[in-house]
Amino acid sequence: MKNKALFLDRDGVINVDKKYVYKIEDFEFCEGIFELCDFFSKKGFLIFIITNQSGIARAYYTEEDFKILSDFILNAFAEKNIKISKIYHCPHLEHCECRKPKPGMLLKAQNEFDINMQDSIFIGDNLSDMQAGLSAGVGTLALIDSKVKENENFKTFANLTELLNFLKSKERL
């Protein structure tokens, strides 16, 4: 049986987007992220982080800086008994298949972890996240940005708590 996955953008979904965050002291978890991930973990979903990190290509920080912060994130989730299966990142500025809105990172996860994309969910805070999820065939797309009008491809939510309450009320997972 194929796995179900929860795909999460990093900046703006897992942490407050402060533009090119790479230092632990600048990293601030978004309210509701641990509750949301705990909910999906208990439903048997594998959890992945899918993140563009062009700050590496721009030389704002290094791959090693990214790895140090990623280890901090993984440990914070592990302390709450939440396993993040893998972090996929694109360090490029452009012209690659992994940078969202292209679906490369999602498709790589699908192949590596035998994921049923139709039964999976992608939560992002940019339209490029929704485009990547749509191109990869992800069944449920949620945009954390109440200023964007939802359409037939994705639903919008003001924050993670609103999204979690919606999902619990639907009991559709």
Side-chain angles (χ1 to χ4, degrees), residues 44-139:
F45 280 71
L46 299 180
I47 302 173
F48 299 93
I49 298 172
I50 307 291
T51 180
N52 286 346
Q53 291 294 315
S54 68
I56 296 168
R58 297 174 199 269
Y60 295 163
Y61 52 92
T62 65
E63 284 278 354
E64 182 61 22
D65 293 328
F66 176 77
K67 182 185 179 323
I68 290 168
L69 184 57
S70 293
D71 288 343
F72 166 79
I73 294 166
L74 294 173
N75 289 334
F77 278 98
E79 286 174 8
K80 299 192 181 293
N81 296 313
I82 299 166
K83 181 180 190 283
I84 304 296
S85 295
K86 189 167 182 178
I87 297 175
Y88 291 91
H89 77 289
C90 173
H92 311 111
L93 279 170
E94 55 192 358
H95 308 301
C96 71
E97 293 304 308
C98 61
R99 184 170 177 77
K100 295 177 289 178
K102 293 188 178 172
M105 291 183 280
L106 294 161
L107 297 175
K108 191 170 185 182
Q110 178 186 25
N111 291 331
E112 288 180 17
F113 290 87
D114 194 28
I115 295 169
N116 179 330
M117 297 302 260
Q118 189 56 43
D119 289 343
S120 296
I121 296 171
F122 187 18
I123 302 170
D125 70 326
N126 282 298
L127 288 175
S128 63
D129 298 320
M130 301 299 95
Q131 292 167 329
L134 193 59
S135 295
V138 176

Side-chain angles (χ1 to χ4, degrees), residues 135-157:
S135 295
V138 176
T140 301
L141 303 173
L143 182 69
I144 305 301
D145 185 347
S146 60
K147 293 181 248 76
V148 175
K149 186 172 172 24
E150 64 189 33
N151 62 35
E152 68 276 359
N153 297 316
F154 62 86
K155 289 193 70 54
T156 59
F157 299 90

